């Protein structure tokens, strides 16, 4: 497994392989890897000739007071997992390489589409500008045929899909299923922050989504009622940023559901903010 910290060297490696006819699959991550990340790697290695994983904790997607400094960075463990998973190359840039003028500089950025505005956009206002910009930069550093993203970060996936479509980027976005712990908790690097008690309580988030899915499958199409089911099951969380059922394409509110929707939750357990979602399909 190769490792690169320079954009030029990373790009040259990709270009050489592409010239030889290989396809490249890209898996962007912030490290602290778990089975969720590895499922993206497996999807990439099984559908592309080469898999490149990136590990970069992107400062511009964190607001002041968020967990940028505490974010776990177990690099040696991450590299061992990627080697075992058959990754061909890892891109590990430092902040100076990704942001030559420094992350604080008001530099060129990507303005995401309107899908970035609700939900996370309300609670983390600059987050998706940071995400879209860094993903655009990673697409330039690692020219790839396909990029693999988890449905766990549903709104992020929408933002990236819109960016690729709107800016005519020559890459295919491949959404990947949410990988969960046995009790349903969506895997996340931030689960490491949870104490034993918090870890137990955090499972109410996926249970609330399962209850909504059950009500939806039983024919309930009133989004307000479905949202009240979510809230009723989130009592073990310390606070809830949002618990909504919205249009799956636009993330706009709906009243009576006649199109596909997605139930999304962002909640805090202790000091840890967790997100999860469930897509609900109208037949
Ligand atoms: P992160 O390192 O948290 O930025 O995540 C990197 C990628 O892994 C993103 O595309 C996430 O959506 C994806 N991911 C994170 N957790 C999961 C999970 N539990 N299941 C599937 N994909 C995930």
């Amino acid at each position: 497994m190769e490792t690169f910290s320079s954009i030029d060297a990373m790009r040259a490696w990709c270009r050489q392989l592409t010239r030889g006819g290989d396809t490249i699959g890209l898996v962007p991550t912030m490290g602290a890897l778990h089975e969720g990340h590895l499922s993206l790697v497996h999807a990439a290695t099984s559908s592309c000739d080469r898999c490149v994983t990136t590990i970069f904790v992107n400062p511009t997607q964190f607001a002041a007071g968020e967990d940028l400094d505490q974010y776990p960075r177990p690099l040696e463990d991450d590299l061992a997992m990627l080697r075992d998973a058959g990754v061909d190359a890892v891109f590990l840039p430092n902040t100076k390489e990704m942001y030559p003028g420094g992350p604080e500089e008001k530099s060129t950025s990507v303005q995401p589409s309107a899908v970035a505005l609700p939900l996370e956009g309300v609670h983390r206002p600059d987050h998706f500008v940071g995400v879209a910009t860094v993903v655009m930069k990673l697409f330039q550093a690692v020219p790839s045929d396909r990029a693999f993203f988890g449905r766990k970060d549903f709104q992020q996936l929408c933002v990236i899909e819109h960016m690729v479509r709107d800016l005519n980027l020559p890459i295919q976005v491949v959404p990947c299923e949410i990988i969960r712990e046995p009790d349903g908790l969506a895997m996340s690097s931030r689960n490491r922050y949870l104490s034993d008690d918090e870890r137990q309580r955090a499972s109410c988030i996926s249970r609330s989504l399962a209850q909504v899915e059950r009500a939806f499958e039983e024919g309930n199409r009133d989004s307000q009622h479905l949202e009240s089911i979510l809230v009723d099951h989130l009592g073990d969380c310390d606070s809830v940023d949002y618990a909504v059922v919205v249009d799956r394409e636009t993330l706009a509110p709906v009243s009576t559901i006649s199109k596909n929707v997605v139930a999304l939750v962002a909640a805090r357990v202790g000091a840890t903010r967790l997100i999860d979602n469930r897509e609900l399909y109208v037949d």
Side-chain angles (χ1 to χ4, degrees), residues 56 58 61 98-99 129-139:
F56 179 62
N58 173 38
Q61 69 190 70
M98 291 298 280
Y99 296 98
V129 174
V131 169
T133 303
V134 81
V135 170
M136 178 62 124
K137 283 167 170 277
L138 292 171
F139 286 175

Side-chain angles (χ1 to χ4, degrees), residues 14-138:
C14 292
R15 291 251 158 88
Q16 194 187 1
L17 287 165
T18 307
R19 272 198 297 276
D22 280 357
T23 55
I24 297 179
L26 169 65
V27 180
T29 82
M30 298 205 298
L33 301 179
H34 49 68
E35 289 296 325
H37 296 112
L38 292 185
S39 74
L40 273 50
V41 166
H42 294 319
T45 54
S46 47
S47 75
C48 300
D49 298 311
R50 306 285 176 157
C51 171
V52 181
T53 300
T54 70
I55 300 179
F56 179 62
V57 183
N58 173 38
T60 68
Q61 69 190 70
F62 289 77
E66 290 187 348
D67 57 343
L68 174 63
D69 294 335
Q70 298 106 282
Y71 201 84
R73 292 167 169 86
L75 183 58
E76 290 311 316
D77 291 355
D78 286 351
L79 292 176
M81 285 169 79
L82 295 176
R83 203 174 285 117
D84 288 350
V87 165
D88 297 279
V90 185
F91 181 49
L92 297 163
N94 63 22
T95 303
K96 178 94 179 115
E97 184 73 2
M98 291 298 280
Y99 296 98
E104 312 291 336
E105 187 189 57
K106 178 122 186 58
S107 55
T108 308
S109 61
V110 175
Q111 179 66 51
S113 79
V115 82
L117 295 176
L119 309 171
E120 293 297 293
V122 171
H123 293 275
R124 305 181 73 190
D126 296 325
H127 174 65
F128 284 129
V129 174
V131 169
T133 303
V134 81
V135 170
M136 178 62 124
K137 283 167 170 277
L138 292 171

